[in-house]
Amino acid sequence: MRRFSWFNATSLTLGFAFLYLPMVILVIFSFNESKLVTVWAGFSTKWYGELIQNDAFLDAAWVTVKVAVLSSTFATVLGTMAAYVLVRGGRFYGRTLFSGMIYAPLVMPEVITGLSLLLLFIAIGFDRGVMTIVLAHTTFSMCYVSVVVSSRLVSFDKSLEEAALDLGCTPFDAFKSVTLPIIAPAVISGWLLAFTLSLDDLVIASFTSGPSSTTLPIKIFSAVRLGVSPEINALSTIMIGIVTVGVLTASLVTKRSIAMRQKEEQKADQ
């Protein structure tokens, strides 16, 4: 029985073309000489030079990177702790509610999340700025970290921790010296995923940002409403490159984690 037919090949080609052809066109026209984004006038990199001299975009890029690094770091710490409690905590009072609160942002619409956080910050009198965006991004990205780390902890050999405890380690020392190095690839993957999600978020950041904390997606969206310029094409190309590198890095780290887990299982079988 043939599993790969011409119909499957055609469907797959059309699907990938629908998803990625617009991105390819955007990247190509970012090197366009003309100011018109739909008319090709020759190869040029001048719009990247213009972009470097645009202080508004550079300030927004700095805010975006700062928010992404801080929020992904906080989300990784909190998500790892939540995953450890869910996997190793057993059954405790309120576990169902706790797990539901952890995974709720996965299915919650971003508009609802952003609006609820906005109302919260207004109610407590917290001025909107970089920290409010960081808190908002940490809220919705820590659940993704928790899912990634939980999947690694489920298959983790608990006898390694028990051996460390038998040799005199405290639970914290056992986690730091044994558990954390083994699940480190999953933790790094969670950090990269949270960083990527924060880097291109628009909806939640638009609700929680202040006048002096405009992120790059918000800046691009505001500029596009007045017309697409070649500088936006260049900036979007750079963002696509950054996200692509992040996704590829996360994929490589995940593959390495799987390979390490397979080696551990082979050693255990021997």
Side-chain angles (χ1 to χ4, degrees):
M1 181 178 179
R2 296 179 59 185
R3 296 183 179 181
F4 195 77
S5 62
W6 284 107
F7 176 78
N8 293 335
T10 303
S11 301
L12 186 64
T13 302
L14 292 176
F16 278 116
F18 178 78
L19 291 175
Y20 296 108
L21 187 60
M23 297 184 187
V24 174
I25 294 174
L26 184 147
V27 172
I28 293 174
F29 275 92
S30 68
F31 298 98
N32 188 12
E33 175 72 23
S34 174
K35 291 184 178 180
L36 301 176
V37 295
T38 58
V39 179
W40 182 261
F43 181 85
S44 176
T45 59
K46 70 175 184 179
W47 301 114
Y48 289 88
E50 294 286 340
L51 179 63
I52 295 175
Q53 298 177 359
N54 193 321
D55 293 334
F57 279 124
L58 292 179
D59 292 340
W62 168 241
V63 172
T64 302
V65 172
K66 182 165 59 174
V67 168
V69 171
L70 291 175
S71 63
S72 58
T73 302
F74 294 153
T76 301
V77 174
L78 296 175
T80 302
M81 294 170 60
Y84 191 84
V85 171
L86 288 174
V87 176
R88 296 298 177 81
R91 300 196 62 84
F92 55 89
Y93 183 76
R95 186 183 189 280
T96 303
L97 177 62
F98 178 73
S99 61
M101 293 175 65
I102 292 295
Y103 297 133
L106 287 171
V107 295
M108 188 73 66
E110 291 187 349
V111 174
I112 302 301
T113 303
L115 180 59
S116 60
L117 289 171
L118 172 62
L119 296 176
L120 173 64
F121 294 142
I122 293 176
I124 64 178
F126 198 178
D127 294 334
R128 284 177 291 168
V130 174
M131 284 308 302
T132 55
I133 305 177
V134 170
L135 294 175
H137 284 187
T138 302
T139 301
F140 84 88
S141 61
M142 66 174 290
C143 59
Y144 294 91
V145 178
S146 180
V147 170
V148 174
V149 177
S150 294
S151 63
R152 181 64 186 92
L153 285 172
V154 168
S155 60
F156 181 78
D157 189 2
K158 294 177 63 176
S159 62
L160 299 175
E161 286 183 346
E162 294 173 355
L165 294 173
D166 292 338
L167 293 174
C169 287
T170 63
F172 177 77
D173 291 335
F175 175 82
K176 181 179 66 175
S177 302
V178 178
T179 308
L180 188 58
I182 295 177
I183 67 172
V187 174
I188 296 173
S189 299
W191 188 92
L192 290 172
L193 179 59
F195 180 84
T196 303
L197 291 172
S198 175
L199 197 66
D200 61 359
D201 175 70
L202 170 65
V203 178
I204 294 178
S206 63
F207 279 98
T208 57
S209 63
S212 60
S213 58
T214 302
T215 61
L216 203 53
I218 296 177
K219 187 67 178 178
I220 294 175
F221 181 75
S222 301
V224 167
R225 295 177 64 183
L226 301 176
V228 180
S229 67
E231 289 184 19
I232 297 178
N233 286 346
L235 180 59
S236 300
T237 301
I238 294 174
M239 291 188 66
I240 290 174
I242 294 174
V243 172
T244 302
V245 171
V247 171
L248 291 176
T249 304
S251 177
L252 292 175
V253 171
T254 303
K255 289 182 179 180
R256 183 180 178 184
S257 175
I258 295 173
M260 291 176 61
R261 183 173 61 186
Q262 291 176 349
K263 289 181 180 179
E264 292 173 5
E265 292 176 353
Q266 291 176 358
K267 291 181 179 179
D269 293 337
Q270 294 176 357

